[in-house]
Amino acid sequence: MTLNDMLFGRPLRSSDEAGEKLGPVGGLSVFGLDALSSAAYGPEAGLTLLIPLAAAGIAYMLPITASIVILLTIVYISYRQTIEAYPGGGGSYTVARENLGESAGLLAAAALMIDYVLTAAVGISAGVGALVSAAPSLEPHTLAICLVILLLITLVNLRGARETGAVFIIPTYLFVGTLLGTLALGLFKTLASGGHPLPVVAPPPLHPQTAAVSIWLLLKAFSSGCTAMTGVEAVSNGVKAFREPVVKSAQRALTAIIALLIALLAGIAFLVRAYHIGATDPGTAGYQGVLSQLVAAVAGQGAFYYITVGSILLVLALSANTAFADFPRLCRAVAEDGFLPQGFATRGRRLVYSQGIWVLTVLCAFLLILFGGVTDRLIPLFAVGAFLAFTLSQGGMVAHWRRTGGKRARHSMLVNGLGAVATATTVVVVTVSKFVAGAWVTALLIPAIMIVMISIRRHYREVAAEIANTAPLDLTGLRNPLVVVPILFWNKIAQKGLRFALNLSAEVLALHIECEKDRGDMRQSWSRNVEEPARRAGLASPRLVVLSSPYRFVISPILDYVLELERNHPDRQIAVLIPELVERHWYHSFLHNQRAEWLRALLLAKCSQRTILVNVPWHLSA
Amino acid sequence: MTLNDMLFGRPLRSSDEAGEKLGPVGGLSVFGLDALSSAAYGPEAGLTLLIPLAAAGIAYMLPITASIVILLTIVYISYRQTIEAYPGGGGSYTVARENLGESAGLLAAAALMIDYVLTAAVGISAGVGALVSAAPSLEPHTLAICLVILLLITLVNLRGARETGAVFIIPTYLFVGTLLGTLALGLFKTLASGGHPLPVVAPPPLHPQTAAVSIWLLLKAFSSGCTAMTGVEAVSNGVKAFREPVVKSAQRALTAIIALLIALLAGIAFLVRAYHIGATDPGTAGYQGVLSQLVAAVAGQGAFYYITVGSILLVLALSANTAFADFPRLCRAVAEDGFLPQGFATRGRRLVYSQGIWVLTVLCAFLLILFGGVTDRLIPLFAVGAFLAFTLSQGGMVAHWRRTGGKRARHSMLVNGLGAVATATTVVVVTVSKFVAGAWVTALLIPAIMIVMISIRRHYREVAAEIANTAPLDLTGLRNPLVVVPILFWNKIAQKGLRFALNLSAEVLALHIECEKDRGDMRQSWSRNVEEPARRAGLASPRLVVLSSPYRFVISPILDYVLELERNHPDRQIAVLIPELVERHWYHSFLHNQRAEWLRALLLAKCSQRTILVNVPWHLSA
C-alpha cells in the first residue's frame, strides 16, 4: 500500500462508477451541509440589523422569515423541475447556457465560482471563529486550525463522493437532530405556557429602541437573512452523483434539505419572538449568538446545550464541503464546453474531478491566509453570486418551458417566472444594500472571470484549428536532419551521443564551446578520437565546430549557433542531441550542473518547428 | 540594457580579469571590514564579563588587551609569511591541506565555512540591533531591515570585487577616521590632565564589586575579547583578488588592517581605564555600549558623537561583507579539489564566484529568519571556527617551513609555531568556556560538513571513472533504434512525430492509450490515415499498439510498455518520441496538460541507458 493509496484510497476503475453514487441520505450530507448550516447564521444576520428596533425588531422577524420561506419554496419547486429537466446535472450554468445563451451561462458560472470559493473560506473561518470564542486559548492558532480543517475536507473529497457522504453523515444528523429537538421542546413549552414560556437561562436584556422602522432597514434585514438560502442550488448541480433512479434520489434529497431548512428557520423565528431573544452586537463584550441564547433559554446550559452548540460549530466548519462537492462539478461542466482548462474535466484516481478540488483548496487557503483566518469582511461579497445564479437558472427554466411547450409547461413557466422575479429583486436589493461593504468586488470579478473564460475557449479553438489534420500521412520529402551534438570533453557520454547522431543522419556537427583554459585541446582530441576512426571505417567524419566564449557562457553560444543553422538551412530539420547525466539519487543533482535542462528549455522556447531535441541520457551507476 | 545588466552590471570578459583587481586601499575595505569592525565589539565583550569586578575589572582590561595584541601580532607575522608562500591564495584550507594533509584541510574549511556564515548573519543583525536600539520605532521591522541589507550586500558583491571595494571605502574610512580621532583626542586630554581627564559627558557609575578575581574569569574575558580577532585570515584567503605585485599589495593591506586594529584596541583599553568606563549590563534599562560611552566622555554628545556612532553601526552591518568576499573564494578552492559542487568554481558574468555568494545569502537569510533578525545566541558559536582555522593554518606553515628548509626557515618556523601554540590554546579556552552556550553546535557541525565534503569527492571520482573514455570512437554495431511514438489523436502533431520517426528507423511503433469513451476510433483512423498511404508509397507501415487504461492513467501505461520493450529487446536502443506542445505565452501552459514533461521525467528516471528521448515540439502560433 503506497502513501498515495493511504491518503486518497486505491485508484478506482472507470467501471466502478456506479458504486460511488449517492442515495438521498448521503446526498443530504454531501450537498445539504451548506444550506442547512445557513440556518445557523441567516436568522442571526437578519436580527443583527434589527438591533436598533429592539423588541419591535424581533416582532418583524416573523414576516421577514415568512418572506424568506416563501422565496425558498418558490426556489425549491423551481429546482425540483430543473432536476427533472436536467438529469445530467442542471446547475445554473447548464440551464442558463442552454436556454438563455452562452453569455448568460458564463455569467452564472462566474457568479457561482466566486460564491463557492467564498462559501468554503467563510464557512471554515466561521466555524473556527465560534470554536475560538468558546476556547480563547486557541486564538493564536486560528489560521492553523482553519488550514488543517481545509486540508481534511480536501482529503476526504479526493477520496470520492461516497466516502465524503459517509464521513459527514454524523455531524449533519447530530446538528439537525439537536436543533429540531430544541425547537420542539421550545414549541411545547410555549404552547403549554399559553405563549409566554419562562426561559431556563434568561437571554440578555434588549437594548432600548434607537431607530424608527423603515422600509430600507427591513429590506436590509431581509437581504441579510437571505444568506440562509445559499447552498440550495447544490443538489441540482450534482444530480449525476446520485444513484438510480437519479432524478428521484436527487429530488428526495432536495426535498429533505428544504423541508428541514424551512422547519429550522420558521421554528427559530417563532421561538426568538416567544423568548424575546434579540441579536447582541458582535465584537462587543456581551456578545452571544442567537442560537446559543435560544438553546440556553429552552433547555438550560447543560450537556445538551454543549452538544448542540458544538454540532453547530462543526457543521459550520464543514459547510465548506458543499463548495467542495459542487465547485469541481461546475468547473467540469464549464471545462467540457472549453471555457476552462481541460484538466478540470478529467476524473482522478477516485473518479472525482481532482483538479477542481485542488484549485478550490488553493484559492480558499489563499483567502484564509490573506485574512489570517478571519473572513468576516468577505460575507457581504457572497450573497450576490448565489442570487444572480438563482435568477439566471429560473430565467433559463422559463425559456426552457416556453421552448418545450406541453401540458404542464404553462404552470411550470409561472412557477419559474415567479422565482425569477423574486430572486432578481433580491439580487438588486442585496447588491444595492451591500455595494459599498464589498459587493462591488464581486461586481468587478464576475466580468473579469467571464473574459478569461471566453479567451480560454478562443485559445482552444485556435489550437484545435491549427493542429487539425484531415489529410492522411504525407510520406513525401522525408529527409534526414542536420544533427548538432554539443560536446564538452571526449568521454563515454560524448561517444554515446555521436553514435546515436550517426544513426540519425550522415550530417553531424559536433559543437565544442571553448573557454580560455582549454584552448586547442578539443581539436587534437577530435582528430585522434573521431576523425581517424571514421576515416578507417570509411565513413564521413562528424565535423567539429569550436566556438570560443569570452564571457564564459556555455548555453547561449549553442542556442545562437542552432538559430543561425536554422536561418542558413531554411528547408532542413535540425536535431539537437543533448547528452544528459541522470543521477541515481535526487540529491546528486546538486553536484552536477543542470545545463542540459536549461539548454533544452531555451531551445524549445526560441527555435522553430524545424528543430527537434534528442535527449541522450547517461544513467550514472555511481 | 537588460534588467540583469542594471542589477549586476554588464558581463565581463574573462580577459577583463586584471581590471577587477584590488589595490591595498580597496583591499582594506573588502577584506578588512570584519577585522576592523570587531574593534567595536571585542573590547565590549571582554568588559562585559568583567562587570562583577567593577573598577578592578577595568584595570585588568589592559593586560588582557595586551595579550590579545601580542596574539594578533604573532598571527599577523605568520599570515604575512603565508601570503608570501601562497601567492595563489593561502587560506587556512590551502595551507593545512598542502602541509598537514587532506583531513586537516577539510577541518579548516568546515570550520571557516561555519564561521563565515555566522559572521555574516551576526554582523548584519548586530548592526541592525544597534540601529534599532537608537530608533526604537524601527523595532518591528528588524528582520525586514536585516534582509534588505543582506540583499544589498549580495548585489554589490555580485557586481564584482572592484565595485565592492569602491562601495565600502567611505564607511570604512569614516569609521577608522572618527574612531582614531576620538582616541587621539582622548589620549591628548589624558596626557594634558596628567592621567585624570574630566569626561565631557560622565559615563554611568560602576556597580559595586560582586566577585573576586579568578583565573577562570580572566580566561573567559580573554576568550570573549578574542572575537576581536575574527576576520584576520580574510586577506590571506583572497590574495588572488589583489593587483600586481600581488604579494606586496596583499601584505600591505594586511599590515594596514592589523596596525589599525591594534591601534584601536590599545587605544580603547587605555582610555576605558583613564575615563573609568565599564560595560553596562546588556538587556537592562541603563545599557549603553562601551564605545558610545567613550566617545561621549571624550568629545561630548554633539554632531561628532552621532557621526562616530553612526559609522560604527554602519560598519558593523557591513562587516558581513568580508564573509561575502571570502566564503565564495574558500568554496572555490574546495570545489576545485572536488570536495564541493563544481558550480562553486565557476565564475559568473562579473568574474565573481556567484554561486558561493548566493549560497551564503541563502544560509544567512535562513539564520536571520530563523532567529527573527536577533542572532545574539549565535555569537558563542563562532570564535571556535575562526581559531581552529588559525591553528591549522599556523601548524601548516610550521610543516611548510620544515619541508622547504632554507636560511630563514628556522626563524619562520619559530614564529608560526608560537602562533600555533597560542591559537591552539585559545581554541581550547574558547571551546571549553563556551561549550554549553553553543560551541557544541559547531563541534557537531564541523565533522558533519567534513563527511559531506568527502562523500562529494568520492561521487565525483566515481563519475569520472565511469564516463572516462580513453578509446577512440567505436563505429561498429551501429543500428537504427526501435521507435515508440505515443499518439493521442490523428492530427498534425502526430503526423510530424511519425515523419520524424520514419526518418529515424523503419521499425516504428505507434502507441495509443485508449480510455473508455473513444473505444475503437483510433484503429479506424489509423488504417485510413497511416496504413493506406504507407502501402501506396510501398513503405512498411508503422505498427499501431492500442493499450486500454481502466484507471484513466495515460503516462504509466506508456512507461510500462517501454520498460517491457527494453526487456524483450535487450540488444536494441529504443527511441521514445514525445510530441510536445510549446505555448507561445507562459500562461497558456495552464491550458494544456504537462503530460509530455511528466512522461519525459519518468522515462529518464526509470529506463536504462538504451532508451533515448526525442522531443518533437509543436510551436503553437495561437
Side-chain angles (χ1 to χ4, degrees):
Chain A
M1 197 180 215
T2 66
L3 182 68
N4 254 346
D5 287 355
M6 271 173 54
L7 280 176
F8 305 117
R10 279 180 314 97
L12 293 175
R13 283 177 168 267
S14 302
S15 51
D16 290 342
E17 179 93 56
E20 282 296 299
K21 299 289 189 179
L22 296 165
V25 175
L28 186 103
S29 69
V30 170
F31 293 107
L33 266 179
D34 182 16
L36 291 175
S37 71
S38 52
Y41 55 79
E44 167 128 20
L47 277 169
T48 302
L49 282 166
L50 297 174
I51 291 178
L53 303 185
I58 300 179
Y60 278 112
M61 202 54 203
L62 262 189
I64 289 175
T65 304
S67 333
I68 294 173
V69 166
I70 292 171
L71 191 57
L72 196 54
T73 313
I74 296 171
V75 170
Y76 160 66
I77 297 174
S78 147
Y79 270 121
R80 253 187 84 94
Q81 295 182 353
T82 309
I83 291 172
E84 201 168 343
Y86 290 93
S92 308
Y93 166 71
T94 316
V95 174
R97 188 180 51 79
E98 294 212 349
N99 299 299
L100 302 176
E102 208 167 273
S103 307
L106 294 181
L107 182 59
L112 273 180
M113 280 174 198
I114 294 174
D115 200 50
Y116 284 135
V117 174
L118 292 169
T119 304
V122 171
I124 292 175
S125 84
V128 173
L131 173 70
V132 163
S133 72
S137 65
L138 293 175
E139 207 272 320
H141 307 294
T142 305
L143 179 59
I145 301 174
C146 285
L147 293 177
V148 168
I149 293 180
L150 174 62
L151 198 65
L152 288 177
I153 295 180
T154 305
L155 284 185
V156 169
N157 276 281
L158 286 172
R159 291 183 67 100
R162 209 174 43 142
E163 296 208 14
T164 311
V167 166
F168 290 117
I169 274 181
I170 295 178
T172 311
Y173 284 87
L174 193 66
F175 169 79
V176 171
T178 50
L179 215 50
L180 283 183
T182 307
L183 297 179
L185 182 62
L187 205 61
F188 171 76
K189 285 190 178 176
T190 307
L191 296 179
S193 62
H196 298 287
L198 214 62
V200 181
V201 174
L206 300 173
H207 290 282
Q209 184 165 357
T210 57
V213 178
S214 71
I215 293 288
W216 179 237
L217 189 63
L218 294 181
L219 274 180
K220 286 214 290 186
F222 168 76
S223 74
S224 281
C226 277
T227 52
M229 287 180 57
T230 56
V232 167
E233 80 292 348
V235 174
S236 70
N237 217 353
V239 183
K240 256 182 144 173
F242 283 91
R243 197 183 291 153
E244 289 290 347
V246 168
V247 169
K248 278 278 159 274
S249 298
Q251 282 182 337
R252 268 184 211 139
L254 181 63
T255 308
I257 292 168
I258 300 291
L260 285 172
L261 181 54
I262 289 180
L264 294 177
L265 290 177
I268 291 169
F270 178 80
L271 288 183
V272 152
R273 188 173 181 183
Y275 281 92
H276 300 286
I277 291 170
T280 50
D281 224 350
T284 59
Y287 173 70
Q288 205 191 346
V290 168
L291 283 188
S292 158
Q293 292 181 47
L294 184 63
V295 180
V298 170
Q301 276 181 326
F304 183 77
Y305 168 84
Y306 287 102
I307 294 174
T308 311
V309 173
S311 75
I312 294 172
L313 305 194
L314 194 59
V315 160
L316 268 180
L318 300 181
S319 70
N321 190 64
T322 301
F324 275 87
D326 259 14
F327 180 85
R329 291 192 165 80
L330 170 63
C331 292
R332 190 255 314 165
V334 180
E336 281 182 350
D337 292 334
F339 292 106
L340 278 182
Q342 289 151 347
F344 284 108
T346 310
R347 284 180 306 174
R349 34 190 290 138
R350 297 285 289 181
L351 292 165
V352 291
Y353 299 99
S354 328
Q355 194 164 324
I357 294 177
W358 282 117
V359 167
L360 179 58
T361 302
V362 168
L363 291 175
C364 186
F366 173 75
L367 286 180
L368 286 172
I369 292 170
L370 194 68
F371 290 89
V374 183
T375 55
D376 293 354
R377 270 182 290 168
L378 295 178
I379 294 181
L381 276 70
F382 83 107
V384 180
F387 277 93
L388 192 55
F390 285 164
T391 308
L392 288 164
S393 164
Q394 311 286 344
M397 287 308 290
V398 173
H400 172 82
W401 299 126
R402 180 187 303 197
R403 218 184 50 224
T404 54
K407 222 183 202 171
R408 281 170 48 211
R410 215 184 165 76
H411 166 253
S412 303
M413 227 169 102
L414 198 73
V415 172
N416 284 127
L418 193 65
V421 172
T423 51
T425 314
T426 316
V427 172
V428 174
V429 172
V430 171
T431 310
V432 171
S433 65
K434 295 184 166 178
F435 194 80
V436 179
W440 63 271
V441 178
T442 314
L444 281 181
L445 268 180
I446 288 178
I449 295 176
M450 289 174 69
I451 290 172
V452 170
M453 293 195 289
I454 290 169
S455 326
I456 288 177
R457 218 252 312 251
R458 179 163 3 101
H459 175 78
Y460 277 137
R461 291 206 163 153
E462 284 168 3
V463 170
E466 191 181 327
I467 65 173
N469 190 7
T470 50
L473 181 60
D474 173 16
L475 287 162
T476 58
L478 289 181
R479 186 177 175 192
N480 284 340
L482 286 173
V483 184
V484 177
V485 190
I487 285 184
L488 206 57
F489 303 105
W490 177 246
N491 56 26
K492 288 187 182 150
I493 302 176
Q495 156 147 315
K496 186 179 177 190
L498 274 183
R499 281 176 58 95
F500 193 80
L502 290 168
N503 268 341
L504 212 60
S505 169
E507 293 163 280
V508 176
L509 297 158
L511 202 57
H512 177 69
I513 306 301
E514 185 174 70
C515 297
E516 258 179 311
K517 51 184 177 185
D518 48 19
R519 186 159 291 163
D521 293 357
M522 193 63 200
R523 288 189 197 279
Q524 283 179 20
S525 157
W526 190 258
S527 98
R528 186 176 65 246
N529 290 315
V530 181
E531 286 173 353
E532 263 182 53
R535 194 166 48 239
R536 274 199 304 271
L539 290 170
S541 167
R543 193 153 66 83
L544 177 68
V545 178
V546 177
L547 302 175
S548 81
S549 174
Y551 294 101
R552 302 167 307 285
F553 297 139
V554 173
I555 296 175
S556 58
I558 300 181
L559 175 66
D560 292 341
Y561 183 80
V562 174
L563 288 173
E564 203 193 308
L565 213 58
E566 276 192 344
R567 273 193 301 276
N568 294 343
H569 300 272
D571 56 333
R572 297 294 296 273
Q573 277 194 320
I574 296 163
V576 183
L577 251 75
I578 307 179
E580 179 159 17
L581 276 188
V582 181
E583 296 92 3
R584 217 151 59 108
H585 304 288
W586 62 268
Y587 49 82
H588 281 165
S589 65
F590 294 109
L591 301 181
H592 303 283
N593 60 57
Q594 305 303 314
R595 275 187 199 142
E597 291 301 311
W598 282 106
L599 179 58
R600 194 176 153 274
L602 274 172
L603 287 170
L604 272 182
K606 305 273 184 183
C607 292
S608 79
Q609 299 282 25
R610 290 183 286 116
T611 295
I612 278 149
L613 309 183
V614 182
N615 280 102
V616 182
W618 183 275
H619 295 261
L620 285 176
S621 61
Chain B
M1 198 182 212
T2 66
L3 182 69
N4 253 347
D5 287 356
M6 269 171 58
L7 279 176
F8 306 116
R10 277 181 315 96
L12 294 174
R13 284 177 167 265
S14 302
S15 51
D16 291 342
E17 180 91 57
E20 282 298 297
K21 299 288 188 179
L22 295 165
V25 175
L28 186 105
S29 70
V30 170
F31 294 107
L33 266 179
D34 183 17
L36 290 174
S37 71
S38 53
Y41 56 80
E44 167 129 19
L47 277 169
T48 302
L49 282 166
L50 297 173
I51 292 179
L53 302 184
I58 301 180
Y60 277 111
M61 202 54 203
L62 263 187
I64 289 176
T65 305
S67 331
I68 293 174
V69 166
I70 293 171
L71 191 56
L72 195 55
T73 312
I74 296 171
V75 170
Y76 160 66
I77 298 173
S78 148
Y79 270 120
R80 252 186 86 93
Q81 294 182 352
T82 310
I83 292 173
E84 201 166 343
Y86 291 93
S92 308
Y93 166 71
T94 314
V95 174
R97 187 179 52 78
E98 294 212 351
N99 298 300
L100 302 176
E102 207 167 272
S103 308
L106 294 181
L107 181 59
L112 274 180
M113 281 174 195
I114 295 175
D115 199 50
Y116 283 135
V117 174
L118 291 169
T119 304
V122 170
I124 292 175
S125 84
V128 173
L131 173 70
V132 163
S133 72
S137 65
L138 293 174
E139 206 273 319
H141 308 293
T142 304
L143 180 59
I145 301 174
C146 286
L147 293 178
V148 167
I149 292 180
L150 175 62
L151 199 66
L152 288 178
I153 294 180
T154 306
L155 285 185
V156 169
N157 276 280
L158 285 172
R159 292 182 68 100
R162 209 174 44 142
E163 296 208 14
T164 311
V167 167
F168 290 118
I169 274 181
I170 295 177
T172 311
Y173 285 85
L174 195 65
F175 169 81
V176 171
T178 51
L179 214 51
L180 282 183
T182 307
L183 296 179
L185 182 62
L187 203 63
F188 172 76
K189 285 191 177 174
T190 307
L191 295 178
S193 62
H196 298 286
L198 212 63
V200 182
V201 175
L206 299 174
H207 291 280
Q209 183 164 356
T210 58
V213 180
S214 71
I215 294 287
W216 178 238
L217 188 63
L218 294 181
L219 274 181
K220 285 213 289 187
F222 168 76
S223 74
S224 281
C226 276
T227 51
M229 286 180 59
T230 56
V232 167
E233 80 292 350
V235 174
S236 70
N237 218 352
V239 183
K240 257 180 142 174
F242 283 90
R243 196 182 294 152
E244 289 288 346
V246 169
V247 170
K248 279 277 159 277
S249 298
Q251 282 182 337
R252 267 183 209 139
L254 181 65
T255 307
I257 293 168
I258 300 290
L260 285 171
L261 180 55
I262 289 180
L264 293 177
L265 290 177
I268 291 168
F270 178 80
L271 288 184
V272 152
R273 187 172 182 183
Y275 280 93
H276 300 285
I277 292 170
T280 49
D281 225 349
T284 58
Y287 172 71
Q288 206 191 346
V290 168
L291 283 189
S292 157
Q293 292 180 46
L294 183 63
V295 180
V298 170
Q301 275 181 325
F304 182 76
Y305 169 84
Y306 286 103
I307 294 175
T308 310
V309 172
S311 76
I312 293 173
L313 305 193
L314 193 59
V315 159
L316 267 182
L318 300 181
S319 71
N321 190 63
T322 301
F324 275 87
D326 259 14
F327 181 85
R329 289 188 167 81
L330 171 63
C331 290
R332 189 256 314 168
V334 180
E336 283 184 348
D337 292 334
F339 292 106
L340 277 181
Q342 289 152 345
F344 284 108
T346 310
R347 284 179 305 174
R349 35 191 287 139
R350 296 285 289 183
L351 292 166
V352 291
Y353 299 99
S354 328
Q355 195 163 325
I357 294 177
W358 282 117
V359 167
L360 180 58
T361 302
V362 168
L363 292 174
C364 187
F366 174 76
L367 286 180
L368 286 171
I369 292 169
L370 194 69
F371 290 88
V374 183
T375 53
D376 293 354
R377 272 183 288 168
L378 294 178
I379 294 181
L381 277 69
F382 83 110
V384 180
F387 278 92
L388 191 54
F390 286 163
T391 308
L392 288 165
S393 163
Q394 312 286 343
M397 288 309 288
V398 173
H400 172 82
W401 298 126
R402 181 188 304 200
R403 217 183 51 226
T404 53
K407 223 183 200 171
R408 279 170 47 213
R410 214 182 165 77
H411 167 252
S412 303
M413 226 169 103
L414 197 74
V415 172
N416 284 128
L418 192 65
V421 172
T423 51
T425 314
T426 316
V427 171
V428 174
V429 172
V430 171
T431 311
V432 171
S433 65
K434 294 184 169 178
F435 194 80
V436 180
W440 62 271
V441 177
T442 313
L444 281 180
L445 268 181
I446 288 179
I449 295 176
M450 288 174 71
I451 290 172
V452 169
M453 293 195 289
I454 290 169
S455 325
I456 289 176
R457 217 251 315 250
R458 184 168 355 104
H459 174 80
Y460 278 136
R461 290 206 165 152
E462 284 168 4
V463 170
E466 191 182 326
I467 65 174
N469 190 8
T470 49
L473 181 59
D474 173 15
L475 286 162
T476 58
L478 289 181
R479 186 176 175 192
N480 283 341
L482 286 173
V483 184
V484 176
V485 190
I487 285 183
L488 206 57
F489 304 106
W490 177 246
N491 55 26
K492 287 187 182 150
I493 300 175
Q495 155 147 316
K496 185 178 178 191
L498 274 183
R499 281 175 58 94
F500 193 81
L502 289 169
N503 268 342
L504 213 59
S505 169
E507 294 164 278
V508 176
L509 296 158
L511 202 57
H512 178 69
I513 307 299
E514 185 175 70
C515 298
E516 258 178 312
K517 51 184 179 185
D518 49 18
R519 188 161 289 162
D521 293 358
M522 192 64 200
R523 286 186 199 281
Q524 283 179 20
S525 157
W526 191 258
S527 96
R528 186 176 64 246
N529 289 315
V530 181
E531 286 172 354
E532 262 181 56
R535 196 167 46 239
R536 275 200 302 273
L539 290 170
S541 166
R543 191 153 67 81
L544 178 67
V545 179
V546 177
L547 302 176
S548 81
S549 173
Y551 294 101
R552 304 167 303 287
F553 298 138
V554 174
I555 295 174
S556 59
I558 301 181
L559 176 64
D560 293 341
Y561 183 79
V562 173
L563 288 173
E564 204 192 309
L565 214 58
E566 276 192 344
R567 274 193 300 276
N568 295 343
H569 300 271
D571 55 334
R572 297 293 296 273
Q573 277 195 321
I574 295 163
V576 182
L577 251 75
I578 308 179
E580 180 160 17
L581 276 187
V582 180
E583 297 91 4
R584 217 150 59 109
H585 303 288
W586 62 268
Y587 49 83
H588 282 166
S589 65
F590 294 110
L591 302 182
H592 303 284
N593 60 57
Q594 304 302 314
R595 277 188 199 142
E597 291 301 311
W598 281 105
L599 180 58
R600 193 176 153 275
L602 275 172
L603 287 170
L604 272 183
K606 305 271 183 186
C607 291
S608 78
Q609 300 283 25
R610 289 182 288 116
T611 296
I612 277 150
L613 310 183
V614 182
N615 280 102
V616 182
W618 183 275
H619 295 262
L620 285 176
S621 61

